[in-house]
Amino acid sequence: MEIVEIRDPADEQAIEQFLQVATTVYQDDPVWVPESERTFTQRFQESQALDAGQMVPVVALESNQPVARATAILDPGARDQAGHPEGWIGFFECVQEHPRAAGLVLERCEQILQ
């Protein structure tokens, strides 16, 4: 299994793989709104500004097929009560048949946030 960190919003192939995970996961879900993926794309592009929070999308590929994804998000203005920086993980989805991939993308996001 390959774990890919996406550092460049211009990497169209990697972005497409990241977006494909949600398309696969929610293909039979009548409530899912694919337009929400534009929110991810817009925020990722905005995160490249020097004063913006950092976003690092991560996608797991099994035999070159995207099966899990998550994004490490660090906002420089987000602090806990002790003043330490806070980050979180968003845009997390995993194809049901690939639980190991879920753990791997979450683990990579945790490493990025540390």
Side-chain angles (χ1 to χ4, degrees):
M1 182 161 317
E2 180 182 6
I3 305 300
V4 177
E5 291 181 20
I6 306 170
R7 299 286 181 160
D8 181 0
D11 186 344
E12 292 180 16
Q13 179 182 358
I15 296 296
E16 182 57 37
Q17 290 172 328
F18 183 87
L19 297 175
Q20 182 60 43
V21 175
T23 301
T24 301
V25 168
Y26 300 119
Q27 66 186 349
D28 296 323
D29 186 340
V31 179
W32 182 62
V33 181
E35 289 79 14
S36 64
E37 296 295 73
R38 278 185 268 195
T39 300
F40 160 78
T41 304
Q42 180 181 358
R43 287 189 178 178
F44 184 40
Q45 289 172 345
E46 290 170 357
S47 78
Q48 303 305 300
L50 292 177
D51 60 343
Q54 183 182 15
M55 288 180 66
V56 181
V58 176
V59 63
L61 305 174
E62 180 68 49
S63 301
N64 288 325
Q65 294 300 311
V67 295
R69 74 178 194 175
T71 301
I73 303 167
L74 183 60
D75 182 339
R79 304 280 175 175
D80 66 13
Q81 292 179 346
H84 300 110
E86 287 188 322
W88 61 93
I89 298 172
F91 300 100
F92 171 69
E93 277 87 23
C94 180
V95 175
Q96 187 172 4
E97 296 80 19
H98 296 277
R100 180 173 166 263
L104 292 173
V105 296
L106 291 172
E107 183 179 292
R108 181 66 62 92
C109 286
E110 287 175 359
Q111 292 168 355
I112 292 166
L113 291 172
Q114 291 175 353

